[in-house]
Every structure is written in structure tokens, then in C-alpha cells.
Amino acid sequence: MEFRSCKEFKIGKCEGQKEVDGEIMPLVLQPPEANKAKFESLLLALKNNKEWLDQMIIKHSALLLRGYDVSNAEEFNDIVEAFGWEDIRYVGPAPRTHVYKRIWTANEGPLSEFIYYHHEMVLIKEYPKKVILYCEIPPPEGGETPFVPSFKVTERMVKEFPKEVEEMEKKGLKYTFIALSKNDTSSMRGRGWEDAFGSSDPNEAQKRANALGMDVEWLPNGAMKTILGPRDLTKVFNGRKGRRMWFNTMVGMHGKEHSSALMADGTEIPENVVKRCQEIIEEESIQFKWEKGDVLFLDNYALLHGRRPSLPPRRVLVATCK
């Protein structure tokens, strides 16, 4: 495998790594020597090698910094800002709390539940290029952040369901989601529309939803129903070998509480297609156990990601970048 090394990082390994189409996922970068594990050394190495690291994130889809002394949200924010990538505000149903500058908590829904695989903000007009995660408190058991090479899902779905994939690709998909007014942290999708759109004024919230490409219906109980579509089934992004990414949330929203996924003309997606797609996504998943101080860069164009059920405590922070 062709790899141009960098003297300021040592290539490491982690349990759960896979080789996919000749690329190791995740690529693990560690301090070249013990005295380079300090946070200041890491920050300098990042700033000196921004372009190379960006190339590695795209080449390998996932890059894990491990073995460095990254101790809190402030230092994580310094890492994010070292790259100069523009911030993009999260829009979606997950309950989150702002921590520091560009840093937020990851989904604060119950740790006992599985957060299904998704490309971050896949249904919004503008979605992040990169999702960056930092492990402040590793879980004692479970709580992994599995990810899936999206093009592998497309390859296998086209092979098994060529006609169905062609129909969904041609028609596009339509999604609906219902958001209550106030946050409900007992649900993984409990973010209220006031928090999601930063306004308690229904007219202003609707205006902001419309600007993001959503149609809105108001329900008698004050909840907002958002309708999104048609949306693409797959997408091809520059610099990623012409791969067709499974850039949708068909499985995650199909027939779930508060949400639905249909073909854009209202045709139901066959149950067996959804079920098999769910199996394929799980079969292609990659995961490792979090360690304190880990920083994981995900290419949001190339990977679906989720969260395994976890025993408490677990604290993973996130930043999203254009």
C-alpha cells in the first residue's frame, strides 16, 4: 500500500482496524517518541502537516490520533482550530450541549440505546465534510463509535437489489420528522424545534427550516413536522475515486417513531430491502475501543457512523467542520 510517511507521527495499530479496498481504516497516528506525546508537541505537528493530514483523512476516511496528552474540551478545540477548517453548526434531532467555542457534546440520548449509522446532517442542504470526535471519558464497556465505508453499502445493494436501487435513485427519497417544542433528553431524537432552530418563535423557526431545505407542517400539539425531499440515494464526491456513497438515511428513519422514509412519489420502500440494507451496513462496520484522549477524524462524505450502547460514564465531544 502506497503511503508517504511523516516524521512527526508514527503509524500505529488498534484493535478492530480493517483494510478496505487497500486502505487501512482507521489510520492510527501516534507520537514518534515518548517526549513527543505532550499536547504542545501534537499541536505543533498538526500545524506543520495540515495538508498531509487532510490528504490522509480523505485517503483512509478515518484517522485516529492516539497516545497524546489531550486532557479537555479547550485543548480539543485548539486541535480543531489548528486546521483552519470553517465551523458548521449542527442541525438535527440529537440532544446536544455546547461545551466550549466550537465544541459540543455528542448525542446525549440514553447510553443504553444504539444510535443508528448516518452521515452527519445528510438531509440538510449543507453538511459537514469532517466530523471530529474526542474521548474525554472512555466508557467501561461498550460505547464504541462504529463507522462504515459508505461505498461498500452501495456496491452490495446494487448487486443484491439492482432494480430497487435504480428505482430509488431515479425517484429520490422523501423523509419526515416530528420535533416537539421542548427538548426531551430521554430520547436520542428528542431535540425540540426551538433548540434546533434557535428560536421560540414558530414563524422564525419555520423560516430557518425552509432556508435549510425543509417544508414544515405544524401539528395541533405544537410540534413541528419537517418534510425533506426529494433527496438523493447516493452521491459521488470529488477526490474519492468516483465511489458512490450510500448517502441517505433510509434505514435510520424508515418506520421509526417520529420519522418516515419513502420514495419521493410516496411509494413505500420494500421492507425486505430496508432489512437487508440494515444487515449489510452492520456487516461492513468497523470499530475500536475508545481510550482517554483519543481524537478521531471522520470523512463525513465517505463514512456512516453510529454509537453502540454503553455503560456509564461515557463522555465524547464533537466538532463539525466545512
Side-chain angles (χ1 to χ4, degrees):
M1 181 181 65
E2 182 186 353
F3 186 86
R4 187 177 72 79
S5 62
C6 173
K7 292 180 181 178
E8 293 184 81
F9 297 98
K10 181 176 72 174
I11 307 304
K13 292 182 178 180
C14 69
E15 187 181 347
Q17 265 180 330
K18 286 186 183 178
E19 184 171 323
V20 181
D21 198 19
E23 296 159 5
I24 296 296
M25 298 183 188
L27 174 68
V28 180
L29 297 182
Q30 296 177 322
E33 49 200 68
N35 67 339
K36 296 289 187 181
K38 296 294 183 186
F39 176 71
E40 294 76 14
S41 297
L42 170 61
L43 209 57
L44 186 61
L46 295 178
K47 289 177 179 177
N48 288 342
N49 298 280
K50 287 189 287 189
E51 188 176 325
W52 179 80
L53 288 160
D54 198 17
Q55 290 171 358
M56 290 301 101
I57 294 167
I58 293 172
K59 179 177 172 60
H60 295 269
S61 300
L63 187 154
L64 176 63
L65 293 177
R66 171 166 283 182
Y68 291 96
D69 184 21
V70 184
S71 57
N72 52 43
E74 289 81 359
E75 291 184 348
F76 177 40
N77 186 76
D78 287 342
I79 289 171
V80 173
E81 292 192 340
F83 286 89
W85 298 322
E86 195 176 342
D87 190 36
I88 183 168
R89 186 178 187 273
Y90 171 74
V91 177
R96 292 183 174 184
T97 301
H98 182 244
V99 178
Y100 177 78
K101 290 189 177 178
R102 295 175 61 165
I103 310 306
W104 295 71
T105 58
N107 192 322
E108 292 182 328
L111 288 175
S112 58
E113 296 187 42
F114 176 50
I115 297 174
Y116 196 68
Y117 300 98
H118 57 285
H119 290 273
E120 200 67 35
M121 293 164 58
V122 62
L123 301 181
I124 309 303
K125 279 184 175 179
E126 187 177 24
Y127 30 81
K129 285 184 180 178
K130 295 176 180 71
V131 174
I132 312 171
L133 299 160
Y134 161 64
C135 183
E136 190 170 41
I137 302 174
E141 185 179 320
E144 298 91 349
T145 300
F147 56 86
V148 179
S150 199
F151 78 97
K152 294 295 293 181
V153 183
T154 306
E155 283 182 355
R156 293 182 62 180
M157 287 296 289
V158 168
K159 188 175 181 180
E160 293 191 32
F161 301 101
K163 291 181 181 177
E164 291 85 350
V165 169
E166 184 181 2
E167 184 181 9
M168 288 188 286
E169 193 81 87
K170 186 177 179 180
K171 292 180 177 179
L173 300 180
K174 180 173 74 173
Y175 306 89
T176 64
F177 184 81
I178 296 171
L180 302 176
S181 176
K182 302 297 182 183
N183 289 347
D184 175 12
T185 53
S186 68
S187 169
M188 293 183 302
R189 296 183 171 187
R191 194 179 191 203
W193 58 260
E194 292 186 18
D195 183 20
F197 298 107
S199 177
S200 57
D201 177 359
N203 291 327
E204 180 60 26
Q206 180 168 339
K207 183 178 172 184
R208 294 178 184 183
N210 293 157
L212 291 165
M214 306 176 186
D215 292 325
V216 169
E217 289 179 13
W218 292 99
L219 304 182
N221 64 355
M224 174 195 277
K225 179 180 181 180
T226 57
I227 303 132
L228 304 99
R231 292 289 188 272
D232 293 328
L233 182 75
T234 65
K235 280 186 182 291
V236 177
F237 295 99
N238 289 336
R240 290 158 181 85
K241 299 184 177 180
R243 292 166 169 169
R244 282 175 70 189
M245 307 301 184
W246 192 253
F247 212 72
N248 64 76
T249 185
M250 177 186 82
V251 177
M253 291 182 72
H254 184 271
K256 302 293 193 299
E257 182 186 10
H258 301 317
S259 71
S260 70
L262 304 164
M263 290 187 225
D265 66 352
T267 306
E268 285 281 351
I269 302 168
E271 191 72 39
N272 67 310
V273 173
V274 178
K275 185 174 184 297
R276 181 60 185 138
C277 185
Q278 183 173 355
E279 293 170 353
I280 288 170
I281 289 171
E282 186 57 56
E283 288 165 11
E284 294 293 339
S285 67
I286 300 167
Q287 67 180 32
F288 61 89
K289 292 200 175 298
W290 282 113
E291 295 182 5
K292 180 173 173 55
D294 280 351
V295 178
L296 177 66
F297 296 80
L298 299 177
D299 179 357
N300 190 49
Y301 288 1
L303 297 176
L304 301 137
H305 71 277
R307 186 196 72 190
R308 300 278 185 214
S310 171
L311 288 180
R314 178 189 189 272
R315 184 170 167 89
V316 173
L317 306 180
V318 64
T320 44
C321 304
K322 292 184 181 180

